[in-house]
Amino acid sequence: MGISTSSSDPGNGESLRSPLLSPPKQPPAEQEKLLVDDMLHKYCGEFGPWQLRHFVLTSLAWALEAFHTMVMIFADREPEYSCLGQGCDPGEKTVCGLEPGSWAWTGGDGSSTVTQWGLFCEEKYKVGLVQALFFFGCMIGAGVFGHLSDSRLGRKGSLTVVCMMNAVFGCLTAFSPNYSTYVVLRMLTGFSTGGVGLCAFVLATEPVGPSKRGAAGMSTFYFFSTGIALLSGIAYIFQTWRALYIASSIPSILFLLIILPFLPESPRWYLVRGKLNEAMKIMRAIAKSNGRHLPDGVVLMLDDEQENDASNGKQNYKEELATKEAVTGSVIDVIKSPLTRIRLFLAVTINFLCSVVYYGISLNVVNLQTNLYLNVLVNAVAEMPAFTITAVLLDKLGRKPMTIGTLWFSGFFCLLGSLVKNNGIWKIVRMICGVMGIFGVAGTYNLLFIYTTELFPTVVRNAALGCATQAAQLGAILAPFVVVLGGWLPFAVFAACGIIGGLFAFYLPETLNKPLYDTMAGMKEGEGVV
């Protein structure tokens, strides 16, 4: 049967042949390259359901850090004693002057490490030594895992490793046969604990848009305070130090098994490591979960690519995914650059001074004359209003004014506390000065995480934050030695640290509403540095 070609359409012959021909090639849609912050703002959403879920789950790691850090308050406590016979005076504050055998520890020898190994009277310094070595481990761990999370392991990989180490060392500590083993295991726990907070903080806040990052960053520290409050309840239930170490380590195991497998890596880390496919997959997931649409032609780029992209011409989208190269950096790069070198020096110094004040006031002043469990609970809750007020004002006043203001606020009340006497009604005045000092410095201590994060590009962010965290841990090590001075001197030292820290903060740049830079070159270009 033939096909008729008669038709009123003069071009019907062409119409018959056209389906047999390949359609003409359409020119590819123009590619749109965006920075992470721009893509979040324009297409994905700055803080939608995806970021909220990711933020909450990741920030739970802060509670784990609180468990492993503050467990020493209960495990290394000196419990009350009871008299058994003659030679014991119930009115004595310590057992040092009592005759051996005339008294006994309440709760037995297994209630704490102090009773287990006789860490009291002339041996009491060993309790402080354990605390100092724990924070020394934190200082080393912060630097090591700060570098690893920027390089090989990534944010999620580093968080997985430190949580695994915490769970293992925490459980092993419960089986310490002697004091020496206990010291070593606590130092190893400190080594892993030092990386928990900084890895969790960066992983939680990097996918958040610039306008929401400050409030989100401040909110991470509610989890730390909540962890301390929960620990007081756990310690009340598990009265012996060995059982307490196991109970406080189990949450780390649960976090490893139940939460971490469902947390993605940071898209910013993927981007600087040259893994654009993985970064784009996360950005699409963010957009989809937030009810937004990310067009196919949109692709991420590093901030140092903006100028190169214009000079080198457009690249095919698939080629872009395949040819992306990793951009690496380290603390050496931070020190080499005059721009970041000054920032690192200031961040390290201010974090150190702030930590001396924070831990020093906590050890020197807070004593509510109630039981230990209630004291710890009240202390944890007392810090929360500082987080709230700082979070509210942070995006209104800026990072720099808030850092200066909170440090000077704390320094003023510490100075006042050093001038008043420590007897009669003045004891209450000094205690109030201490509480106000903690209130101010708690806000500083936490906003410094946000500030330090924004001062450095993605490629060296955790390494720089690790250095700042190391400085803070050094301050924590030295704080107990300041407290030993006694009298008005500790308050005077804390006042000096707060005031000097505020002066140093004057030389930091403001980062409010500025982008999170990806590379050193991108930061120099964005800051107008030649």
Side-chain angles (χ1 to χ4, degrees), residues 174-198:
F175 299 98
S176 301
N178 50 53
Y179 173 77
S180 298
T181 306
Y182 178 69
V183 169
V184 172
L185 287 171
R186 282 301 289 162
M187 187 166 61
L188 289 173
T189 305
F191 175 76
S192 54
T193 302
V196 173
L198 68 94

Side-chain angles (χ1 to χ4, degrees), residues 26-40:
Q26 297 294 327
E30 186 174 346
Q31 187 184 58
E32 184 181 8
K33 286 187 172 185
L34 294 174
L35 303 177
V36 176
D37 281 345
D38 295 333
M39 188 176 289
L40 289 170

Side-chain angles (χ1 to χ4, degrees), residues 255-418:
F255 185 80
L256 278 167
L257 298 176
I258 299 175
I259 295 176
L260 263 176
F262 302 99
L263 293 178
E265 180 56 87
S266 167
R268 295 179 187 272
W269 182 80
Y270 275 141
L271 184 60
V272 298
R273 297 297 293 178
K275 300 180 179 181
L276 188 55
N277 268 318
E278 289 84 348
M280 287 301 302
K281 184 183 295 185
I282 294 175
M283 298 304 287
R284 292 190 190 97
I286 295 174
K288 182 178 180 181
S289 180
N290 291 346
R292 309 284 287 271
H293 175 64
L294 184 60
D296 291 335
V298 180
V299 63
L300 285 171
M301 70 172 175
L302 296 171
D303 43 24
D304 67 347
E305 295 179 59
Q306 289 176 296
E307 187 174 342
N308 294 336
D309 185 57
S311 59
N312 296 337
K314 300 293 181 182
Q315 203 174 13
N316 180 272
Y317 180 72
K318 291 185 178 179
E319 286 182 19
E320 182 77 19
L321 296 178
T323 61
K324 182 71 70 174
E325 295 181 359
V327 181
T328 59
S330 67
V331 177
I332 303 300
D333 298 304
V334 178
I335 297 173
K336 284 182 178 179
S337 170
L339 175 65
T340 52
R341 179 169 62 239
I342 296 171
R343 293 184 178 191
L344 183 64
F345 169 77
L346 293 171
V348 164
T349 304
I350 296 170
N351 272 274
F352 169 78
L353 295 171
C354 178
S355 183
V356 171
V357 180
Y358 178 79
Y359 286 102
I361 297 178
S362 299
L363 294 172
N364 188 60
V365 177
V366 181
N367 185 5
L368 302 180
Q369 299 296 323
T370 56
N371 68 73
L372 180 64
Y373 310 101
L374 184 60
N375 278 345
V376 174
L377 176 63
V378 171
N379 293 346
V381 173
E383 293 182 359
M384 293 186 181
F387 304 155
T388 304
I389 294 173
T390 308
V392 170
L393 297 178
L394 194 60
D395 287 331
K396 295 182 178 179
L397 301 181
R399 280 64 165 150
K400 183 175 177 177
M402 285 298 297
T403 302
I404 298 170
T406 52
L407 279 169
W408 283 0
F409 181 91
S410 179
F412 169 77
F413 280 101
C414 288
L415 180 61
L416 191 61
S418 69

Side-chain angles (χ1 to χ4, degrees), residues 43 45 55 59-60 69 87 98-99 119 182 188 210 265 340 394 428 459 466 519:
Y43 293 113
F55 176 81
S59 297
L60 288 174
T69 302
L98 304 181
E99 293 184 10
L119 309 180
Y182 178 69
L188 289 173
E265 180 56 87
T340 52
L394 194 60
I428 299 176
V459 71
T519 62

